[in-house]
Amino acid sequence: MHIQKIINKFAYFALIFANVFAIYCANAETDSDRNALEAIYQQYAQAIKHKDPKVIFDYETDDFSVKTMDGKILNHQQADTVMLQSIQSMKAISSVDVKVIKVKVETNQTTVVVSQKIVAKVVDSEGKEYAWVGDNKSRDTWIKVEGKWRVKFSEDLEDSQTFDGKPAK
């Protein structure tokens, strides 16, 4: 069984997923803005539950990259490939919970720290099904491209995963 590959796929998926929600919070300078963005996220969470990666890909810059917990840098194509593989291994997503911890708006970029928890049923390459829970915290860098926020870089800060209630190794 290639459980480590599955673990890595879900960590990358969690990073990319956190990025999409962060775009909505990048402009949240008032409580009312943030409340409106939380409502938008609820619609987005439904799209994730239906495994629609296009929404995520539309917010990435052409040079988007991800830094994983082990320090590995994934380029745009690698990150998107891992995300697609992760989605394909998910039989069902039961819940998605994202919390914005910090938003720092600067002149040329915005940094967002987010935490998230995803609960799903996953299937490994041998067809075995697992109950999977992924908890992740990331720091994402956003820039404006043609007046629209795009994620340029995501760094995994924390990652915890369980399969059938047992911590991933």
Side-chain angles (χ1 to χ4, degrees), residues 1 3 6 120-124 128-132 163-164:
M1 180 170 59
I3 199 73
I6 292 171
K121 290 282 185 192
V122 299
V123 180
D124 69 13
K128 186 171 180 185
E129 187 174 307
Y130 298 90
W132 176 78
F163 289 87
D164 291 337

Side-chain angles (χ1 to χ4, degrees), residues 9-169:
K9 287 178 185 178
F10 285 111
Y12 303 145
F13 174 76
L15 278 171
I16 293 168
F17 175 72
N19 291 335
V20 174
F21 181 67
I23 195 163
Y24 295 115
C25 298
N27 290 321
E29 298 186 58
T30 67
D31 288 340
S32 62
D33 288 334
R34 190 172 185 123
N35 290 340
L37 296 173
E38 292 283 348
I40 291 169
Y41 172 70
Q42 294 305 316
Q43 295 169 5
Y44 172 77
Q46 291 302 311
I48 291 299
K49 281 185 169 184
H50 292 100
K51 304 194 277 184
D52 181 7
K54 185 178 180 333
V55 174
I56 295 168
F57 298 157
D58 287 347
Y59 285 108
E60 298 170 351
T61 61
D62 291 339
D63 61 346
F64 171 70
S65 61
V66 174
K67 183 177 182 182
T68 64
M69 287 292 294
D70 63 2
K72 183 178 179 181
I73 301 292
L74 300 178
N75 67 30
H76 191 187
Q77 182 180 7
Q78 292 167 323
D80 286 358
T81 297
V82 168
M83 209 275 276
L84 285 171
Q85 291 171 342
S86 298
I87 286 176
Q88 291 170 354
S89 71
M90 290 184 184
K91 185 173 182 179
I93 301 171
S94 2
S95 68
V96 178
D97 181 38
V98 176
K99 291 182 176 69
V100 174
I101 299 168
K102 182 179 180 180
V103 177
K104 183 179 179 185
V105 179
E106 300 176 43
T107 304
N108 297 324
Q109 68 181 25
T110 297
T111 304
V112 181
V113 176
V114 294
S115 67
Q116 68 176 342
K117 181 176 184 176
I118 300 172
V119 178
K121 290 282 185 192
V122 299
V123 180
D124 69 13
S125 61
E126 298 171 357
K128 186 171 180 185
E129 187 174 307
Y130 298 90
W132 176 78
V133 177
D135 284 301
N136 176 273
K137 182 177 176 183
S138 66
R139 178 175 38 241
D140 309 316
T141 303
W142 296 85
I143 61 171
K144 276 204 173 176
V145 177
E146 298 176 1
K148 190 172 181 180
W149 285 108
R150 302 277 188 202
V151 63
K152 182 175 179 68
F153 181 71
S154 180
E155 178 180 8
D156 199 4
L157 302 174
E158 297 175 14
D159 184 43
S160 169
Q161 301 176 52
T162 62
F163 289 87
D164 291 337
K166 298 175 185 171
K169 296 176 180 151

